[in-house]
């Protein structure tokens, strides 16, 4: 200890006891306000900033020493609290500390008034050491409890919510002392007034007015709303505003509600829709107490903000209409425009990726939209086209967050899928995709991530439609031989195989459209009508997309790879048939020639035609090709059946697909 007490010529023990008492009372009155006396010294405790101890001349009468030392803790607590008030009164320490210091200063003024009254009694000769000890009793418990608080606050450098939590916990710890507990609760109310002001602006206006970082909600200004339409992994809605550590204990149960309320108000302000929660005298967040009125105010603010934002997005920005538009175009609910587009863009889509002109595809898409029923839909102007750089399987592999954990035996990653090069023959037909322009605040629901999921489903459906069209062309080739006797020829066998392939792809399209997309969309639509907040809307929409991706097999790599293999076989078969079978048919000179070089009029039964059929029957090239396709298709189809059958009990949606596949397989 470093002593800085003053030396005295006469020790107090040299005086009579009655004189000693008068001297010590005079010094005690000074010590009570942190001032050294002639016989009482102050020593600072080394290593503990702000801590002091009071010492008395050891020559004093022992009885007086005992009484005097009982009063010293009050003096030490006063000094500690005074130093805290001086150090925390600056705004740099935060609004809560400043408010708490102001409340302590008011209490110390009352304390100093008490000391002044005691000094007046002493001057009148009416005060003894015993009396001084008696009058100090009410203040001793209060200042000691506060000294504990300021000591913990100083050593841990508490501010903001940490300071409020400390005050609350100390008040609860004093449950047995009503006076001290009431004082600490009053201090907590005073310290929280500034904090509640910050809270009030947030839940009523959506504004964070927190210059010293004390509020439990953090704002990340680097996250912009534009990222929702640009970044697949955008975290704007989750991380633009987020909860920090150190939530006040009296707000812990409603912290999420408080965060969401301000977020909703911010969205409306970003839309230029200035809105403020209606205020009344009863809605002021000036204090918190056992009646929990502040919780009712927060709940009312949340209900107002939630309903206002939901109505804004549903009514002004027509969320349901935009979702219906996405269903029409990206889920191919009304495919008339797509049929026309695939006809006029066939040549461009058949090119390799590097040769495709996206601008030309866009103009053809606009033409298809204007030429069909889609022209009456004002949302069709939001459609644009794009060409992806990778196949569907590669794209799904790259999106790691789309992993599906159930059933595990169907969710095995495609072996070495990241190392497999793209097929050299990949064209726009495999990579063509539609894009949709989404504006704020609809981008909260239809974000880039959500739109990417729509696009994955679209690419799968689009390619299935392409396979279906190619098989239909192959079927038309076979129809040119209906008037002839093809029994025992490769053409008959090819016709049966073509019919099986068509049934497979049609069953797949029927399953995707009427067993997956349509019922799930209606379920989401009904849920959106009863949603009570934008968060519920986002949740229902995300659940719809995730369920569709899974039931469309896009999250089950093992099944998807087999389906893609079957589609590839169908395309190779259709291309081969269009080359092999017409090669044995020479149309009459005056016949009308179709787009594939086939006479669309009924062929005449001629001797030369029968000879060509016999030639085709004996052609080992045609026979081998058809048998190879038949064997490969049947093998892949049959390998798919047990996987679907074994999994249909755990995944009911696979039952419908299994029935379709089994129906095709039973004909083989």
């Amino acid at each position: 200890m470093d002593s800085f007490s003053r030396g005295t010529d006469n020790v107090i023990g040299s005086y009579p006891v009655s004189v000693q008492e008068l001297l010590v009372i005079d010094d005690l009155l000074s010590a009570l306000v942190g001032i050294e006396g002639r016989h009482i010294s102050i020593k600072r405790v080394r290593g503990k900033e702000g801590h002091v101890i009071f010492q008395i001349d050891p020559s004093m009468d022992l009885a007086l020493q005992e009484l005097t030392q009982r009063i010293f803790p009050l003096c030490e607590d006063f000094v500690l609290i005074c130093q805290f008030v001086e150090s925390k009164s600056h705004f740099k320490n935060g609004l809560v500390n400043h408010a708490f210091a102001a409340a302590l200063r008011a209490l110390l003024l009352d304390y100093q008034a008490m000391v002044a009254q005691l000094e007046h009694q002493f001057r009148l000769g009416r005060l003894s050491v015993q009396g001084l000890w008696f009058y100090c009793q009410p203040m001793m418990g209060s200042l000691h409890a506060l000294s504990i608080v300021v000591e913990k606050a100083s050593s841990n450098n508490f501010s903001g919510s940490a300071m409020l939590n400390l005050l609350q916990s100390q008040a609860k710890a004093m449950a047995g002392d009503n006076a001290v507990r009431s004082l600490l609760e009053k201090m907590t109310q005073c310290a929280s007034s500034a904090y509640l002001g910050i809270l009030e602006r947030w839940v009523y206006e959506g504004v964070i007015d927190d210059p010293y970082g004390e509020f439990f909600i953090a704002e990340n200004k680097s996250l912009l709303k534009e990222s929702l339409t640009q970044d697949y992994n955008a975290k704007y809605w989750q991380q633009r505003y987020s909860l920090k550590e150190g939530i006040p204990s009296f707000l812990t149960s409603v912290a999420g509600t408080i965060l969401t309320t301000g977020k909703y108000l911010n969205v409306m302000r970003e839309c230029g829709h200035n809105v403020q929660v209606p205020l009344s005298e009863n809605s002021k967040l000036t204090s918190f107490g056992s009646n929990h009125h502040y919780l009712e105010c927060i709940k009312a603010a949340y209900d107002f903000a939630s309903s206002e934002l939901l109505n804004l997005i549903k009514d002004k920005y027509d969320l349901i209409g935009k979702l219906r538009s996405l269903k029409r175009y990206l889920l191919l609910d009304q495919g008339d425009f797509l049929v026309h587009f695939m006809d006029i863009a066939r040549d461009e889509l058949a090119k390799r990726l590097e040769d495709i002109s996206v601008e030309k595809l866009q103009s053809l898409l606009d033409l298809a939209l204007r030429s069909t029923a889609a022209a009456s839909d004002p949302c069709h102007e939001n459609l644009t086209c794009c060409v992806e750089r990778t196949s569907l399987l590669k794209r799904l592999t790259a999106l790691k967050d789309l992993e599906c954990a159930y059933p595990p035996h169907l969710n095995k990653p495609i072996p070495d899928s990241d190392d497999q090069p793209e097929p050299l023959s990949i064209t726009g037909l495999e990579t063509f995709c539609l894009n949709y322009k989404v504006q704020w605040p609809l981008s909260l629901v239809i974000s880039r991530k959500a739109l990417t999921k729509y696009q994955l489903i679209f690419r799968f459906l689009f390619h299935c439609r392409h396979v279906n069209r190619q098989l239909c062309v192959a079927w038309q080739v076979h129809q040119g031989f209906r008037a002839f006797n093809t029994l025992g020829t490769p053409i008959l066998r090819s016709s049966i195989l073509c019919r099986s392939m068509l049934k497979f792809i049609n069953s797949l399209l029927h399953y995707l459209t009427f067993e997956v997309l349509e019922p799930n969309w209606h379920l989401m639509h009904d849920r959106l009508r009863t949603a009570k907040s934008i968060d519920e809307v986002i949740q229902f929409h995300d659940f719809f997309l995730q369920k569709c991706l899974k039931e469309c097999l896009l999250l089950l790599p093992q099944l998807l790879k087999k389906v893609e293999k079957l589609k590839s076989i169908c395309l190779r078969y259709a291309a081969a048939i269009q080359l092999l079978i017409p090669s044995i048919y020479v149309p009459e000179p005056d016949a009308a020639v179709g787009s594939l070089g086939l006479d669309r009029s009924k062929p005449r039964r001629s001797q030369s035609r029968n000879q060509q059929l016999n030639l085709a029957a004996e052609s080992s090239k045609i026979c081998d090709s058809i048998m190879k396709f038949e064997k490969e298709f049947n093998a892949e189809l049959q390998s798919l059946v047990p996987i679907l059958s074994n999994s249909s009990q755990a995944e009911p949606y696979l039952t419908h697909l299994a029935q379709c596949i089994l129906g095709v397989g039973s004909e083989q």
Side-chain angles (χ1 to χ4, degrees):
M1 300 180 183
D2 296 326
S3 173
F4 49 90
S5 60
R6 296 179 304 192
T8 55
D9 296 333
N10 298 322
V11 295
I12 193 170
S14 62
Y15 298 103
V17 174
S18 58
V19 177
Q20 289 184 37
E21 184 174 9
L22 294 175
L23 291 173
V24 79
I25 292 174
D26 188 48
D27 278 5
L28 277 173
L29 290 172
S30 298
L32 285 172
V33 291
I35 301 173
E36 280 188 321
R38 286 173 293 180
H39 306 288
I40 295 178
S41 60
I42 301 176
K43 297 182 182 293
R44 295 194 180 276
V45 179
R46 184 176 297 172
K48 289 188 176 182
E49 187 174 351
H51 286 260
V52 298
I53 59 173
F54 285 77
Q55 290 184 337
I56 195 166
D57 191 330
S59 65
M60 182 186 291
D61 180 73
L62 293 178
L64 285 176
Q65 284 192 49
E66 177 65 24
L67 283 173
T68 302
Q69 288 173 352
R70 292 182 184 180
I71 301 174
F72 282 170
L74 180 61
C75 305
E76 294 165 0
D77 292 339
F78 173 81
V79 173
L80 182 62
I81 294 172
C82 278
Q83 292 189 0
F84 177 84
V85 170
E86 290 301 321
S87 64
K88 299 298 182 182
S89 294
H90 304 291
F91 278 105
K92 66 179 182 180
N93 295 301
L95 299 177
V96 172
N97 273 332
H98 186 264
F100 180 46
L104 287 175
R105 185 180 290 107
L107 179 68
L108 292 179
L109 287 175
D110 292 340
Y111 170 83
Q112 289 168 335
M114 179 200 74
V115 175
Q117 291 173 354
L118 291 173
E119 185 176 5
H120 178 66
Q121 293 297 316
F122 174 63
R123 300 304 175 198
L124 295 176
R126 300 173 183 173
L127 189 65
S128 64
V129 176
Q130 185 69 42
L132 182 62
W133 159 248
F134 173 78
Y135 289 122
C136 288
Q137 285 300 302
M139 276 292 185
M140 291 198 72
S142 300
L143 261 64
H144 181 63
L146 289 172
S147 69
I148 294 174
V149 172
V150 300
E151 181 181 358
K152 290 182 178 179
S154 298
S155 59
N156 294 286
N157 198 26
F158 282 160
S159 64
S161 56
M163 190 72 237
L164 296 179
N165 287 336
L166 175 61
L167 284 166
Q168 269 205 311
S169 63
Q170 287 299 118
K172 291 177 181 178
M174 293 295 175
D177 190 334
N178 289 333
V180 175
R181 186 190 63 199
S182 298
L183 174 64
L184 289 174
E185 288 177 349
K186 182 180 178 181
M187 289 291 169
T188 307
Q189 292 286 0
C190 294
S192 65
S193 59
Y195 198 89
L196 290 174
I198 301 174
L199 173 63
E200 190 175 271
R201 287 211 67 188
W202 172 252
V203 296
Y204 289 160
E205 302 176 37
V207 175
I208 295 181
D209 186 9
D210 181 26
Y212 303 106
E214 298 172 278
F215 199 40
F216 65 90
I217 294 177
E219 179 182 8
N220 187 349
K221 294 184 178 180
S222 64
L223 295 177
L224 305 177
K225 64 179 183 293
E226 289 76 16
S227 64
L228 287 169
T229 59
Q230 300 167 0
D231 184 6
Y232 177 85
N233 295 311
K235 301 295 183 183
Y236 176 87
W237 188 239
Q238 294 81 10
Q239 297 180 7
R240 170 69 183 205
Y241 297 99
S242 58
L243 296 177
K244 296 192 296 187
E245 294 182 356
I247 301 171
S249 56
F250 64 94
L251 295 175
T252 302
S253 61
V254 290
T257 303
I258 292 170
L259 173 65
T260 306
T261 303
K263 285 170 65 176
Y264 290 171
L265 294 172
N266 267 283
V267 172
M268 288 184 277
R269 191 169 63 249
E270 291 274 3
C271 299
H273 184 71
N274 293 324
V275 63
Q276 183 174 349
V277 178
L279 295 177
S280 65
E281 288 300 323
N282 293 329
S283 61
K284 289 289 184 180
L285 295 174
T286 54
S287 64
F288 63 93
S290 57
N291 60 356
H292 300 303
H293 175 68
Y294 69 99
L295 297 179
E296 297 174 5
C297 295
I298 292 171
K299 180 66 167 58
Y302 168 79
D303 291 340
F304 174 83
S306 178
S307 61
E308 281 289 310
L309 178 58
L310 197 59
N311 292 335
L312 182 71
I313 287 183
K314 281 186 175 181
D315 299 338
K316 181 178 178 179
Y317 293 96
D318 190 22
L319 172 65
I320 302 297
K322 292 296 188 296
L323 292 176
R324 191 175 287 113
S325 177
L326 283 170
K327 177 173 180 275
R328 179 180 299 118
Y329 299 120
L330 271 77
L331 301 185
L332 303 184
D333 182 42
Q334 296 177 0
D336 55 338
F337 83 95
L338 187 70
V339 173
H340 186 38
F341 173 75
M342 293 179 79
D343 285 337
I344 60 179
R346 178 181 56 190
D347 294 339
E348 192 68 25
L349 290 173
K351 296 179 181 178
R352 294 186 303 175
L353 294 182
E354 57 271 18
D355 299 330
I356 295 176
S357 170
V358 179
E359 292 77 11
K360 184 175 182 180
L361 285 178
Q362 183 63 51
S363 63
L364 294 174
L365 176 64
D366 293 339
L367 177 61
L369 291 170
R370 291 194 300 268
S371 306
T372 57
S376 60
D377 178 16
C379 294
H380 81 269
E381 297 179 356
N382 295 325
L383 271 185
T384 59
C385 65
C386 59
V387 178
E388 299 285 352
R389 295 292 113 187
T390 58
S391 65
L392 181 60
L393 286 171
K394 279 277 187 180
R395 180 64 171 147
L396 286 166
T397 304
L399 300 175
K400 301 297 183 183
D401 65 307
L402 291 182
E403 293 179 359
C404 180
Y406 189 83
H409 65 283
L410 295 178
N411 195 38
K412 298 175 183 176
I414 301 170
D416 301 323
S417 58
D418 292 332
D419 301 327
Q420 291 179 352
E422 293 287 3
L424 296 177
S425 60
I426 189 169
T427 65
L429 293 164
E430 288 82 21
T431 58
F432 174 76
C433 192
L434 291 179
N435 204 352
Y436 196 87
K437 297 177 183 177
V438 182
Q439 303 297 326
W440 173 266
L442 292 180
S443 55
L444 286 172
V445 181
I446 312 171
S447 62
R448 168 49 52 188
K449 176 176 284 190
L451 196 56
T452 299
K453 294 177 181 180
Y454 276 108
Q455 291 175 326
L456 292 172
I457 298 172
F458 171 84
R459 289 181 63 180
F460 189 52
L461 290 172
F462 181 81
H463 195 249
C464 287
R465 292 285 184 93
H466 166 63
V467 175
N468 178 265
R469 285 168 60 89
Q470 294 303 104
L471 288 174
C472 286
V473 172
W475 179 252
Q476 290 175 358
V477 171
H478 291 90
Q479 294 301 96
F481 294 91
R482 289 185 62 185
F484 300 97
N485 180 16
T486 58
L487 188 64
T489 66
I491 294 178
L492 177 61
R493 190 161 194 164
S494 177
S495 177
I496 296 173
L497 177 59
C498 186
R499 185 174 62 182
S500 297
M501 289 182 171
L502 268 173
K503 186 172 182 182
F504 162 74
I505 199 66
N506 286 332
S507 298
L508 180 60
L509 282 169
H510 181 276
Y511 162 77
L512 295 173
T513 304
F514 298 104
E515 301 288 348
V516 177
L517 299 177
E518 198 67 26
N520 282 326
W521 197 90
H522 284 290
L523 178 62
M524 177 194 68
H525 182 267
D526 293 340
R527 287 178 171 177
L528 292 182
R529 293 174 61 184
T530 60
K532 293 181 172 56
S533 69
I534 190 64
D535 280 301
E536 285 192 5
V537 170
I538 295 172
Q539 178 185 347
F540 294 149
H541 184 240
D542 288 346
F543 179 79
F544 159 73
L545 288 174
Q546 195 70 11
K547 197 164 186 288
C548 288
L549 283 171
K550 183 179 179 182
E551 295 184 5
C552 286
L553 311 181
L554 296 177
L555 301 185
L556 304 175
Q558 188 179 1
L559 279 175
L560 180 61
K561 188 178 181 184
K562 286 192 170 294
V563 171
E564 290 296 308
K565 184 68 177 296
L566 283 165
K567 285 161 51 181
S568 174
I569 295 170
C570 292
L571 285 175
R572 288 190 286 109
Y573 164 79
I577 290 303
Q578 294 175 46
L579 291 175
L580 291 174
I581 294 184
S583 66
I584 65 171
Y585 173 54
V586 180
E588 297 295 331
D590 58 345
V593 179
S595 61
L596 294 171
L598 294 177
D599 185 0
R600 295 191 180 275
S601 63
K602 185 176 180 180
R604 291 178 298 176
R605 301 176 182 272
S606 62
Q607 184 66 30
S608 61
R609 186 58 171 160
N610 289 329
Q611 290 176 352
Q612 289 172 343
L613 286 172
N614 292 333
L615 181 62
E618 298 171 358
S619 172
S620 60
K621 180 180 179 182
I622 296 178
C623 290
D624 292 346
S625 295
I626 293 174
M627 289 183 65
K628 180 182 177 182
F629 283 121
E630 182 181 13
K631 182 178 180 181
E632 191 176 1
F633 177 75
N634 289 340
E636 284 295 330
L637 195 61
Q638 292 304 319
S639 69
L640 189 59
V641 171
I643 299 176
L644 291 173
S645 300
N646 295 335
S647 306
S648 58
Q649 292 182 351
E651 295 290 339
Y653 64 88
L654 293 178
T655 303
H656 304 291
L657 184 59
Q659 290 172 349
C660 297
I661 301 301
L662 287 169
V664 175
S666 63
E667 296 185 0
Q668 304 307 314

